[in-house]
Amino acid sequence: TMAMKKGRFSKTEQEFIRENHKEMSIHEIATHLDRDSASVESYVNSKLGSTLLEEREIEALRDLQNRPFWKDLQKQFSEDELQSLLYHWGRIITQFRDDVLPTEELQIIDAIKLEILMNRALIGQQTNMKDIQSYEELVTVEKAKALEIQDKDYIFSLERQVAVCRAAQESLTREYKDLQTKKASMLKDLKATREQRIKRLEDSKQTFIGWVRNLMSNPEARRSIGIQMEKMRLATDKEAARLSEYHKYEDGTIDQPFLTPNSVKED
């Protein structure tokens, strides 16, 4: 038997997987492409998502990376920070079910930037704490020596470094709190906090206008209701057609149960 194909998927293969991964099993796709099932499954999970939620998240990530400002973000943040940015972007966009206006997109980016800067501040605090501990240990070692051989200038220099680090620690703490306040305010504007989401759902149940507002802002709900309405329409049309045909009753009478100007038949 010939060995299975190896290497990256061609554009044709990728297109085939995208078009058929919902209808065909991983094994069927792999057999058709003469590929290993594990590689096909890995591609589906990483590029397409195994659930609707994952599909939306992956699509959101691709969308962000195709934006003109993505290059600016690459210059502003490290690779690890970019991965964090992509993660939060995908989660938030999915949370809002793709119902995001352009101005809201910028707010989301800014909120994620604040999250990254908060992480930087925390990392800086941790680094400072380690430096302070290291300097204080050196001071302790030096002071443990006999008084006549202690290096006073060295001790003074270390203690000055400790003071500088403590001042930086206070600055980082203030910076973190400021960023936290800004982020909370921005998330509040985006109606992304749990309290506001619950309140919005409760309000939507109280009035008809609220229900309509919730329906307009929830594409998934609109789609679900639309499907139900279409099913009802099709079922109604089918039943109307059935009842418009001649029907033989138990007493032998033949007639149309549903008689309208449109359904009347010429004998």
Side-chain angles (χ1 to χ4, degrees), residues 4-18 26 28-48:
M4 290 184 177
K5 289 189 288 186
K6 302 292 184 181
R8 297 179 61 182
F9 289 106
S10 66
K11 290 184 178 180
T12 303
E13 289 174 323
Q14 292 179 37
E15 185 67 24
F16 181 85
I17 296 173
R18 280 196 296 271
I26 296 295
E28 289 172 336
I29 294 175
T31 301
H32 179 84
L33 297 177
D34 191 26
R35 289 279 191 168
D36 177 58
S37 295
S39 62
V40 174
E41 184 175 15
S42 175
Y43 179 87
V44 171
N45 290 338
S46 62
K47 301 294 185 181
L48 304 176

Side-chain angles (χ1 to χ4, degrees), residues 138-155:
L138 291 174
V139 170
T140 301
V141 170
E142 189 65 25
K143 285 186 175 181
K145 297 178 181 179
L147 190 61
E148 59 273 11
I149 62 172
Q150 287 182 11
D151 188 336
K152 301 296 183 182
D153 291 337
Y154 179 56
I155 293 174

Side-chain angles (χ1 to χ4, degrees), residues 44-84:
V44 171
N45 290 338
S46 62
K47 301 294 185 181
L48 304 176
S50 57
T51 66
L52 181 59
L53 190 64
E54 289 179 355
E55 288 179 22
R56 286 176 174 167
E57 196 166 322
I58 291 171
E59 181 61 33
L61 300 185
R62 282 202 297 262
D63 183 51
L64 177 61
Q65 290 172 312
N66 289 329
R67 298 297 179 89
F69 55 77
W70 175 249
K71 291 182 179 179
D72 295 329
L73 294 174
Q74 288 179 305
K75 296 175 184 177
Q76 295 167 4
F77 300 105
S78 67
E79 187 59 35
D80 288 342
E81 289 172 337
L82 284 174
Q83 291 303 314
S84 177

Side-chain angles (χ1 to χ4, degrees), residues 177-194:
K177 289 181 178 179
D178 290 343
L179 291 170
Q180 193 174 39
T181 301
K182 291 178 181 178
K183 179 189 169 187
S185 175
M186 195 163 291
L187 289 178
K188 185 177 180 181
D189 291 339
L190 284 167
K191 299 185 183 299
T193 60
R194 180 174 176 80

